[in-house]
Amino acid sequence: QKEVEQDPGPLSVPEGAIVSLNCTYSNSAFQYFMWYRQYSRKGPELLMYTYSSGNKEDGRFTAQVDKSSKYISLFIRDSQPSDSATYLCAMSDVGGATNKLIFGTGTLLAVQP
Amino acid sequence: NAGVTQTPKFQVLKTGQSMTLQCAQDMNHNSMYWYRQDPGMGLRLIYYSASEGTTDKGEVPNGYNVSRLNKREFSLRLESAAPSQTSVYFCASSRAAGSGANVLTFGAGSRLTVL
């Protein structure tokens, strides 16, 4: 079993839809949770991160962490064609440079105009 | 502001050939990383350098060597390339010096094909 599981998709939605992207994990020690967005043939870029449990909102994006269920989510409201990309979750148990992020395999999202 | 720059962007090698992937960052970050990305496998850490002068193995180090040349530059060398090393390679850097979220900034990637 992988430490981090993520549905690879592809997920296709119409413009304006609410999108829900999810990851599950097995290591209860994970405390830092991140979402990266990766456009085709580009490097991943950080969207947002949360520490421990709870919600965090940034514009149309909301990240949720449920540590009791070992489940994290990224919601995208009013989705746009420019949101079409692969979304990678990543997590670690402690912070700092010597700690290594564990990445999910990514979910491919296509927002249809 | 260039961020993280990787060269070359594309490379085709024959089995047994060697090559070096170059990476440089201009953000004064302390830590640098090399990942490979394969379909269905996600991003896997090859080597990292927490600070200038140190390097450590990641999840998949076999067949690779690294050099942290200075604070800005971190190179990845394939001594004898194998078809299994066909992948997209990403260099990343982070400021992280202590606790707190380790936020990575990635380069654009280097696509390597080994025939």
Side-chain angles (χ1 to χ4, degrees), chain A residues 5-70:
Chain A
E5 299 276 1
Q6 186 174 9
D7 188 331
L11 180 62
S12 181
V13 301
E15 183 175 354
I18 296 174
V19 176
S20 173
L21 303 166
N22 312 294
C23 288
T24 58
Y25 62 94
S26 58
N27 187 345
S28 58
F30 285 149
Q31 296 186 63
Y32 293 91
F33 303 92
M34 302 178 183
W35 287 96
Y36 283 81
R37 178 176 61 195
Q38 184 176 19
Y39 290 114
S40 181
R41 297 186 174 264
K42 302 289 186 184
E45 56 179 346
L46 181 73
L47 265 181
M48 53 200 308
Y49 73 86
T50 55
Y51 172 71
S52 193
S53 286
N55 296 356
K56 187 172 183 179
E57 188 174 323
D58 184 1
R60 296 184 294 110
F61 298 88
T62 299
Q64 284 187 354
V65 175
D66 181 349
K67 292 189 72 179
S68 62
S69 302
K70 299 190 182 70

Coordinates of all heavy atoms in Angstrom, one line a residue, chain A residues 5-70:
Chain A
E5 N -2.4 7.9 -1.4 CA -3.2 7.5 -2.5 C -4.0 8.6 -3.1 O -4.6 9.4 -2.4 CB -4.2 6.4 -2.1 CG -3.5 5.1 -1.5 CD -3.1 4.1 -2.6 OE1 -3.2 4.4 -3.8 OE2 -2.5 3.1 -2.2
Q6 N -4.0 8.7 -4.5 CA -4.7 9.8 -5.1 C -5.3 9.2 -6.4 O -4.6 8.5 -7.2 CB -3.8 10.9 -5.4 CG -4.4 12.1 -6.0 CD -3.5 13.3 -6.1 OE1 -2.2 13.2 -6.0 NE2 -4.0 14.5 -6.5
D7 N -6.6 9.5 -6.6 CA -7.3 9.0 -7.9 C -6.7 9.7 -9.1 O -6.7 10.9 -9.1 CB -8.8 9.3 -7.8 CG -9.5 8.6 -8.9 OD1 -9.0 8.4 -10.0 OD2 -10.7 8.4 -8.7
P8 N -6.1 9.0 -10.0 CA -5.5 9.6 -11.2 C -6.4 10.3 -12.1 O -5.9 11.1 -13.0 CB -4.7 8.5 -11.8 CG -5.6 7.3 -11.5 CD -6.1 7.5 -10.1
G9 N -7.7 10.1 -12.0 CA -8.6 10.7 -13.0 C -8.5 10.0 -14.4 O -8.2 8.8 -14.4
P10 N -8.7 10.6 -15.5 CA -9.0 12.1 -15.5 C -10.4 12.5 -15.1 O -11.3 11.7 -15.1 CB -8.8 12.4 -17.0 CG -9.2 11.1 -17.7 CD -8.7 10.0 -16.8
L11 N -10.5 13.7 -14.6 CA -11.7 14.3 -14.1 C -12.1 15.4 -15.1 O -11.3 16.3 -15.3 CB -11.6 14.8 -12.7 CG -12.8 15.4 -12.0 CD1 -13.9 14.4 -11.9 CD2 -12.3 16.0 -10.7
S12 N -13.3 15.3 -15.7 CA -13.7 16.3 -16.7 C -15.0 16.9 -16.1 O -15.9 16.2 -15.8 CB -14.0 15.6 -18.0 OG -14.4 16.6 -19.0
V13 N -15.0 18.3 -16.1 CA -16.1 19.0 -15.5 C -16.4 20.2 -16.4 O -15.5 20.7 -17.2 CB -15.9 19.5 -14.1 CG1 -15.6 18.4 -13.2 CG2 -14.7 20.5 -14.1
P14 N -17.6 20.7 -16.4 CA -18.0 21.9 -17.2 C -17.5 23.1 -16.5 O -17.4 23.2 -15.2 CB -19.5 21.9 -17.3 CG -19.9 21.1 -16.1 CD -18.8 20.1 -15.8
E15 N -17.2 24.2 -17.2 CA -16.8 25.5 -16.6 C -17.9 25.9 -15.6 O -19.0 25.8 -15.8 CB -16.7 26.5 -17.7 CG -16.2 27.9 -17.3 CD -16.0 28.8 -18.4 OE1 -16.1 28.4 -19.6 OE2 -15.7 30.0 -18.2
G16 N -17.4 26.4 -14.5 CA -18.3 26.9 -13.4 C -18.6 25.8 -12.4 O -19.2 26.2 -11.3
A17 N -18.2 24.6 -12.6 CA -18.5 23.5 -11.6 C -17.7 23.6 -10.4 O -16.6 24.3 -10.4 CB -18.3 22.2 -12.3
I18 N -18.1 23.0 -9.3 CA -17.3 22.9 -8.1 C -16.5 21.5 -8.3 O -17.1 20.5 -8.5 CB -18.1 22.8 -6.9 CG1 -18.8 24.2 -6.7 CG2 -17.3 22.5 -5.6 CD1 -19.8 24.2 -5.5
V19 N -15.2 21.6 -8.1 CA -14.4 20.4 -8.2 C -13.9 20.0 -6.9 O -13.5 20.8 -6.0 CB -13.2 20.7 -9.1 CG1 -12.3 19.5 -9.2 CG2 -13.7 21.1 -10.5
S20 N -13.9 18.7 -6.6 CA -13.4 18.1 -5.4 C -12.3 17.1 -5.7 O -12.5 16.2 -6.5 CB -14.5 17.4 -4.6 OG -14.0 16.7 -3.5
L21 N -11.1 17.4 -5.2 CA -9.9 16.5 -5.4 C -9.5 16.0 -4.1 O -9.5 16.7 -3.1 CB -8.8 17.3 -6.1 CG -9.1 18.0 -7.4 CD1 -8.1 19.0 -7.8 CD2 -9.3 16.9 -8.5
N22 N -9.1 14.7 -4.0 CA -8.9 14.1 -2.7 C -7.7 13.2 -2.7 O -7.2 12.7 -3.7 CB -10.1 13.2 -2.4 CG -11.4 13.9 -2.6 OD1 -11.7 14.9 -1.9 ND2 -12.2 13.5 -3.6
C23 N -7.1 13.1 -1.5 CA -6.0 12.1 -1.2 C -6.3 11.5 0.1 O -6.8 12.1 1.0 CB -4.7 12.8 -1.2 SG -4.1 13.4 -2.7
T24 N -5.9 10.2 0.2 CA -5.9 9.5 1.5 C -4.5 9.1 1.8 O -3.7 9.0 0.9 CB -6.8 8.2 1.4 OG1 -6.3 7.4 0.4 CG2 -8.3 8.6 1.1
Y25 N -4.2 8.9 3.1 CA -2.9 8.6 3.5 C -2.9 7.6 4.6 O -3.9 7.5 5.3 CB -2.1 9.9 3.8 CG -2.6 10.7 5.0 CD1 -2.1 10.5 6.3 CD2 -3.6 11.6 4.8 CE1 -2.6 11.2 7.3 CE2 -4.1 12.4 5.8 CZ -3.6 12.2 7.1 OH -4.1 12.9 8.1
S26 N -1.8 7.0 4.9 CA -1.8 5.9 5.9 C -0.9 6.3 7.1 O -1.1 5.7 8.2 CB -1.2 4.6 5.3 OG 0.1 4.8 4.8
N27 N 0.0 7.3 7.0 CA 0.9 7.6 8.0 C 0.2 8.7 8.9 O 0.1 9.9 8.6 CB 2.2 8.2 7.5 CG 3.3 8.4 8.5 OD1 3.0 8.5 9.7 ND2 4.5 8.6 8.1
S28 N -0.2 8.3 10.1 CA -0.8 9.2 11.0 C 0.1 10.3 11.5 O -0.4 11.3 12.2 CB -1.4 8.4 12.2 OG -0.4 7.8 12.9
A29 N 1.4 10.2 11.3 CA 2.3 11.3 11.7 C 2.4 12.5 10.8 O 3.0 13.5 11.2 CB 3.7 10.7 11.9
F30 N 1.8 12.4 9.6 CA 1.8 13.5 8.7 C 1.1 14.7 9.3 O 0.0 14.6 9.9 CB 1.1 13.2 7.4 CG 1.9 12.3 6.5 CD1 1.2 11.4 5.6 CD2 3.3 12.3 6.4 CE1 2.0 10.5 4.8 CE2 4.0 11.5 5.6 CZ 3.3 10.6 4.8
Q31 N 1.8 15.9 9.2 CA 1.3 17.1 9.8 C 1.1 18.2 8.8 O 0.4 19.2 9.0 CB 2.2 17.6 10.9 CG 2.2 16.6 12.1 CD 3.0 17.2 13.2 OE1 2.6 18.3 13.8 NE2 4.2 16.6 13.6
Y32 N 2.0 18.2 7.7 CA 2.0 19.3 6.7 C 1.4 18.7 5.5 O 1.8 17.6 5.0 CB 3.4 19.7 6.5 CG 4.0 20.5 7.6 CD1 4.8 19.8 8.6 CD2 3.9 21.8 7.8 CE1 5.4 20.4 9.6 CE2 4.4 22.5 8.9 CZ 5.2 21.8 9.8 OH 5.7 22.4 10.8
F33 N 0.4 19.4 4.9 CA -0.3 18.9 3.8 C -0.3 20.0 2.7 O -0.7 21.2 3.0 CB -1.8 18.6 4.2 CG -1.8 17.6 5.3 CD1 -1.9 18.0 6.6 CD2 -1.8 16.2 5.0 CE1 -1.9 17.0 7.6 CE2 -1.8 15.3 6.0 CZ -1.9 15.7 7.3
M34 N 0.1 19.7 1.5 CA 0.2 20.6 0.4 C -0.5 20.2 -0.8 O -0.7 19.0 -1.1 CB 1.7 20.8 0.1 CG 2.5 21.3 1.3 SD 4.2 21.5 0.8 CE 4.9 21.9 2.4
W35 N -0.9 21.1 -1.6 CA -1.4 20.9 -3.0 C -0.6 21.7 -4.0 O -0.3 22.9 -3.8 CB -2.9 21.3 -3.1 CG -3.8 20.4 -2.4 CD1 -4.3 20.6 -1.1 CD2 -4.4 19.2 -2.9 NE1 -5.1 19.5 -0.8 CE2 -5.2 18.7 -1.9 CE3 -4.3 18.5 -4.1 CZ2 -5.9 17.5 -2.0 CZ3 -4.9 17.3 -4.2 CH2 -5.8 16.8 -3.2
Y36 N -0.1 20.9 -5.0 CA 0.6 21.5 -6.1 C -0.2 21.4 -7.4 O -0.9 20.4 -7.5 CB 2.0 20.8 -6.3 CG 3.0 21.2 -5.3 CD1 3.1 20.6 -4.0 CD2 4.0 22.1 -5.6 CE1 4.1 21.0 -3.1 CE2 5.0 22.5 -4.7 CZ 5.0 21.9 -3.5 OH 6.0 22.3 -2.5
R37 N -0.1 22.3 -8.3 CA -0.7 22.3 -9.6 C 0.4 22.2 -10.6 O 1.4 22.9 -10.5 CB -1.5 23.6 -9.8 CG -2.2 23.7 -11.2 CD -3.0 24.9 -11.2 NE -2.2 26.1 -11.0 CZ -2.8 27.3 -10.8 NH1 -4.1 27.4 -10.6 NH2 -2.0 28.4 -10.6
Q38 N 0.2 21.3 -11.6 CA 1.2 21.1 -12.6 C 0.5 21.1 -14.0 O -0.3 20.3 -14.3 CB 1.9 19.7 -12.4 CG 3.0 19.5 -13.4 CD 3.8 18.2 -13.2 OE1 3.3 17.3 -12.5 NE2 5.0 18.1 -13.7
Y39 N 0.9 22.2 -14.7 CA 0.4 22.3 -16.1 C 1.2 21.3 -17.0 O 2.4 21.0 -16.6 CB 0.5 23.7 -16.6 CG -0.5 24.6 -16.0 CD1 -0.1 25.7 -15.1 CD2 -1.9 24.5 -16.2 CE1 -1.0 26.5 -14.6 CE2 -2.8 25.3 -15.6 CZ -2.3 26.4 -14.8 OH -3.2 27.2 -14.2
S40 N 0.7 21.0 -18.1 CA 1.3 20.0 -19.0 C 2.7 20.5 -19.4 O 2.9 21.6 -19.8 CB 0.5 19.8 -20.3 OG 1.1 18.9 -21.1
R41 N 3.7 19.6 -19.2 CA 5.1 19.9 -19.6 C 5.7 21.0 -18.8 O 6.6 21.7 -19.3 CB 5.2 20.1 -21.1 CG 4.9 18.8 -21.8 CD 5.1 18.9 -23.3 NE 4.9 17.6 -24.0 CZ 5.8 16.8 -24.2 NH1 7.1 17.0 -23.9 NH2 5.5 15.6 -24.8
K42 N 5.2 21.2 -17.6 CA 5.8 22.2 -16.7 C 6.1 21.6 -15.3 O 5.7 20.5 -15.1 CB 4.8 23.4 -16.4 CG 4.3 24.1 -17.7 CD 5.5 24.9 -18.3 CE 5.0 25.8 -19.5 NZ 6.0 26.5 -20.1
G43 N 6.8 22.3 -14.5 CA 7.1 21.9 -13.2 C 5.9 22.1 -12.2 O 5.1 23.1 -12.5
P44 N 5.7 21.4 -11.1 CA 4.7 21.6 -10.2 C 4.9 23.0 -9.5 O 6.0 23.4 -9.3 CB 4.8 20.5 -9.2 CG 5.6 19.5 -9.8 CD 6.5 20.2 -10.8
E45 N 3.8 23.7 -9.2 CA 3.8 24.9 -8.4 C 2.9 24.8 -7.2 O 1.8 24.2 -7.3 CB 3.5 26.1 -9.3 CG 2.1 26.0 -10.0 CD 1.8 27.2 -10.8 OE1 2.4 28.2 -10.7 OE2 0.8 27.1 -11.6
L46 N 3.3 25.4 -6.1 CA 2.5 25.3 -4.9 C 1.2 26.1 -5.0 O 1.3 27.3 -5.4 CB 3.3 25.8 -3.7 CG 2.6 25.7 -2.4 CD1 2.5 24.2 -1.9 CD2 3.3 26.5 -1.3
L47 N 0.1 25.4 -4.7 CA -1.2 26.2 -4.6 C -1.4 26.6 -3.2 O -1.7 27.8 -2.9 CB -2.3 25.2 -5.0 CG -2.8 25.3 -6.4 CD1 -3.9 24.3 -6.6 CD2 -3.2 26.7 -6.8
M48 N -1.3 25.7 -2.2 CA -1.6 26.1 -0.8 C -1.1 24.9 0.1 O -1.0 23.8 -0.4 CB -3.0 26.4 -0.6 CG -4.0 25.4 -1.0 SD -5.7 26.1 -1.2 CE -5.9 27.0 0.3
Y49 N -0.9 25.3 1.3 CA -0.6 24.2 2.3 C -1.3 24.5 3.6 O -1.6 25.6 3.9 CB 0.9 24.1 2.5 CG 1.6 25.2 3.3 CD1 1.7 25.2 4.7 CD2 2.2 26.3 2.6 CE1 2.3 26.2 5.4 CE2 2.8 27.3 3.3 CZ 2.9 27.2 4.7 OH 3.5 28.2 5.4
T50 N -1.5 23.4 4.4 CA -2.1 23.6 5.7 C -1.3 22.8 6.7 O -0.6 21.8 6.3 CB -3.5 23.0 5.7 OG1 -3.5 21.7 5.2 CG2 -4.5 23.8 4.8
Y51 N -1.3 23.2 7.9 CA -0.7 22.5 9.0 C -1.7 21.9 9.9 O -2.6 22.5 10.3 CB 0.2 23.4 9.8 CG 0.8 22.8 11.0 CD1 1.8 21.9 10.9 CD2 0.4 23.2 12.3 CE1 2.3 21.3 12.1 CE2 0.9 22.6 13.4 CZ 1.9 21.7 13.3 OH 2.4 21.1 14.4
S52 N -1.6 20.6 10.1 CA -2.5 19.8 10.9 C -3.9 19.8 10.4 O -4.1 19.9 9.2 CB -2.4 20.3 12.4 OG -3.1 19.4 13.3
S53 N -4.9 19.8 11.2 CA -6.3 19.7 10.7 C -6.9 21.1 10.4 O -6.3 22.1 10.7 CB -7.1 19.0 11.7 OG -6.9 17.6 11.7
G54 N -8.0 21.0 9.7 CA -8.8 22.3 9.5 C -8.9 22.6 8.0 O -8.5 21.9 7.1
N55 N -9.4 23.8 7.8 CA -9.6 24.3 6.5 C -8.8 25.6 6.2 O -8.4 26.3 7.1 CB -11.1 24.8 6.3 CG -12.1 23.6 6.4 OD1 -11.6 22.5 6.5 ND2 -13.3 23.9 6.3
K56 N -8.5 25.8 4.9 CA -7.8 27.0 4.5 C -8.3 27.4 3.2 O -8.5 26.6 2.3 CB -6.3 26.7 4.4 CG -5.5 28.0 4.2 CD -4.0 27.7 4.3 CE -3.1 28.9 4.1 NZ -1.7 28.6 4.2
E57 N -8.6 28.7 3.1 CA -9.2 29.2 1.9 C -8.3 30.2 1.2 O -7.7 31.1 1.9 CB -10.6 29.8 2.2 CG -11.4 30.2 1.0 CD -12.8 30.7 1.4 OE1 -13.4 30.1 2.3 OE2 -13.3 31.7 0.7
D58 N -8.3 30.2 -0.1 CA -7.5 31.2 -0.9 C -8.2 31.4 -2.2 O -8.1 30.6 -3.1 CB -6.1 30.7 -1.1 CG -5.2 31.7 -1.8 OD1 -5.7 32.8 -2.1 OD2 -4.0 31.4 -2.1
G59 N -9.0 32.4 -2.2 CA -9.7 32.7 -3.4 C -10.7 31.6 -3.7 O -11.6 31.3 -2.9
R60 N -10.6 31.1 -4.9 CA -11.6 30.0 -5.3 C -11.2 28.6 -4.8 O -11.9 27.6 -5.0 CB -11.7 29.9 -6.8 CG -12.2 31.2 -7.5 CD -12.4 31.0 -9.0 NE -11.1 30.9 -9.7 CZ -10.7 29.7 -10.2 NH1 -11.4 28.6 -10.2 NH2 -9.5 29.7 -10.9
F61 N -10.1 28.5 -4.1 CA -9.5 27.3 -3.6 C -9.7 27.1 -2.1 O -9.4 28.1 -1.4 CB -8.0 27.2 -4.0 CG -7.8 27.2 -5.5 CD1 -7.6 28.4 -6.1 CD2 -7.7 26.0 -6.2 CE1 -7.3 28.4 -7.5 CE2 -7.5 26.0 -7.6 CZ -7.3 27.2 -8.2
T62 N -10.1 25.9 -1.7 CA -10.2 25.6 -0.3 C -9.6 24.2 0.0 O -9.9 23.3 -0.7 CB -11.7 25.6 0.2 OG1 -12.3 26.8 0.0 CG2 -11.8 25.2 1.7
A63 N -8.7 24.2 0.9 CA -8.0 22.9 1.3 C -8.6 22.5 2.6 O -8.8 23.3 3.6 CB -6.5 23.1 1.4
Q64 N -8.9 21.2 2.7 CA -9.4 20.6 4.0 C -8.6 19.5 4.4 O -8.1 18.7 3.5 CB -10.9 20.2 3.8 CG -11.9 21.2 3.8 CD -13.3 20.7 3.7 OE1 -13.5 19.5 3.6 NE2 -14.3 21.6 3.8
V65 N -8.4 19.3 5.7 CA -7.6 18.2 6.2 C -8.5 17.5 7.3 O -8.9 18.2 8.2 CB -6.3 18.6 6.8 CG1 -5.6 17.4 7.5 CG2 -5.4 19.2 5.7
D66 N -8.7 16.3 7.2 CA -9.4 15.5 8.2 C -8.4 14.4 8.7 O -8.3 13.3 8.1 CB -10.7 14.9 7.7 CG -11.4 14.1 8.7 OD1 -10.9 13.8 9.8 OD2 -12.6 13.7 8.5
K67 N -7.7 14.7 9.8 CA -6.7 13.8 10.2 C -7.3 12.5 10.8 O -6.7 11.4 10.8 CB -5.8 14.4 11.2 CG -4.9 15.5 10.6 CD -3.8 16.0 11.6 CE -2.7 15.0 11.8 NZ -1.7 15.5 12.8
S68 N -8.5 12.6 11.4 CA -9.1 11.4 12.0 C -9.4 10.4 10.9 O -9.4 9.2 11.1 CB -10.4 11.8 12.7 OG -11.3 12.4 11.8
S69 N -9.7 10.8 9.7 CA -10.0 9.9 8.6 C -8.8 9.8 7.7 O -8.9 9.0 6.7 CB -11.2 10.5 7.8 OG -12.3 10.6 8.6
K70 N -7.7 10.5 7.9 CA -6.5 10.5 7.1 C -6.9 10.8 5.6 O -6.7 10.0 4.7 CB -5.8 9.1 7.1 CG -5.3 8.8 8.5 CD -4.4 7.6 8.5 CE -3.9 7.1 9.8 NZ -5.0 6.6 10.7

